[in-house]
Amino acid sequence: EIVLTQSPGTLSLSPGERATLSCRASQRVSSSYLAWYQRKPGQAPRLLIYGASSRATGVPDRFSGSGSGTDFTLTISSLEPEDVAMYYCQQFDTSPQTFGQGTKVEIK
Amino acid sequence: QVQLVGSGGGLVKPGGSLRLSCAASGFTFSDYYMSWIRQAPGKGLEWVSHISSSGSTIYYADSVKGRFTISRDNAKNSLYLQMNSLRAEDTAVYYCASRNRTGTPYNYWGQGTLVTVSS
């Protein structure tokens, strides 16, 4: 199965700073089948990015996704306090679908 | 407003059984593929099982094959997971999630229900 490794494990930044989250796959993943999710404390996960770079409905444009092959990135251009959450990448290119371990984003 | 509300979690002894439910509202449940996804303490998300919109196609992770059974009742807008022969390693928060079809991301998730397997 494809292993997704997310880094860093925890990201602690000040409001307004840029957050860069990495997702590295153990094998090539088609960009069409790479997604990012956000899970805020006490809430259900929410789809943020699909197709590696397309924002889901209602997602603020400070969130962007990029990458291809084995390296993918989620960027929050200017961190807001409400962005405190866990972020997970997912591949559903190769069965079984797999998720990364997650990156925790904190406000410094 | 789309809602997926999970229920049925709790404390169960090793070897025991539990049935999880997920009640859907706010969308046409019968049009969507559904999955169960879990997260064990300190671990990442793990896909558990998938069922197609009609219920005709079902898949399981190797870790639960032969022990868990997924099903759905489109008339009741509900998804189920029957979990038998539970093990300590099945301890996790279980999420139900919907997707348009295979090969698409999960557009909606439930809030999760906690299953604890312990003696």
Side-chain angles (χ1 to χ4, degrees):
Chain A
E1 74 178 39
I2 294 179
V3 175
L4 298 179
T5 302
Q6 292 188 241
S7 61
T10 302
L11 199 51
S12 186
L13 296 168
S14 300
E17 287 193 297
R18 184 183 191 88
T20 303
L21 288 68
S22 172
C23 175
R24 180 161 290 177
S26 59
Q27 303 171 41
R28 184 189 176 281
V29 173
S30 168
S31 298
S32 298
Y33 304 115
L34 193 287
W36 290 91
Y37 300 89
Q38 174 194 63
R39 193 187 71 206
K40 294 184 179 182
Q43 296 186 19
R46 168 198 183 193
L47 176 64
L48 280 183
I49 301 287
Y50 62 95
S53 60
S54 298
R55 275 188 299 276
T57 303
V59 174
D61 60 8
R62 64 180 180 273
F63 291 92
S64 64
S66 62
S68 64
T70 59
D71 289 296
F72 298 90
T73 300
L74 174 69
T75 302
I76 310 173
S77 60
S78 179
L79 195 65
E80 300 276 347
E82 60 262 33
D83 300 333
V84 168
M86 288 291 297
Y87 293 84
Y88 299 92
C89 57
Q90 177 210 18
Q91 70 80 23
F92 41 97
D93 187 5
T94 301
S95 182
Q97 58 180 283
T98 52
F99 295 84
Q101 295 284 92
T103 290
K104 184 177 183 180
V105 172
E106 300 177 334
I107 292 288
K108 197 182 289 184
Chain B
Q1 176 192 357
V2 171
Q3 274 200 303
L4 291 171
V5 180
S7 62
L11 175 63
V12 61
K13 289 181 167 53
S17 298
L18 213 53
R19 189 194 195 208
L20 304 184
S21 299
C22 174
S25 61
F27 66 106
T28 307
F29 179 72
S30 58
D31 286 346
Y32 285 79
Y33 287 44
M34 299 296 296
S35 289
W36 288 98
I37 295 156
R38 68 184 180 183
Q39 185 167 33
K43 299 286 185 65
L45 294 164
E46 178 191 17
W47 167 78
V48 172
S49 183
H50 153 100
I51 186 168
S52 62
S53 54
S54 66
S56 60
T57 301
I58 287 174
Y59 299 111
Y60 297 99
D62 288 344
S63 57
V64 307
K65 205 172 292 184
R67 300 187 299 122
F68 289 12
T69 302
I70 191 172
S71 62
R72 65 190 295 160
D73 186 336
N74 286 343
K76 294 183 177 179
N77 291 336
S78 292
L79 174 73
Y80 307 101
L81 186 68
Q82 178 67 42
M83 303 186 294
N84 298 331
S85 304
L86 282 161
R87 307 166 179 166
E89 55 264 36
D90 295 319
T91 294
V93 174
Y94 285 74
Y95 297 96
C96 55
S98 66
R99 61 200 309 197
N100 292 339
R101 60 187 184 280
T102 305
T104 61
Y106 293 106
N107 44 13
Y108 301 114
W109 295 64
Q111 86 286 3
T113 185
L114 176 62
V115 172
T116 303
V117 184
S118 174
S119 54

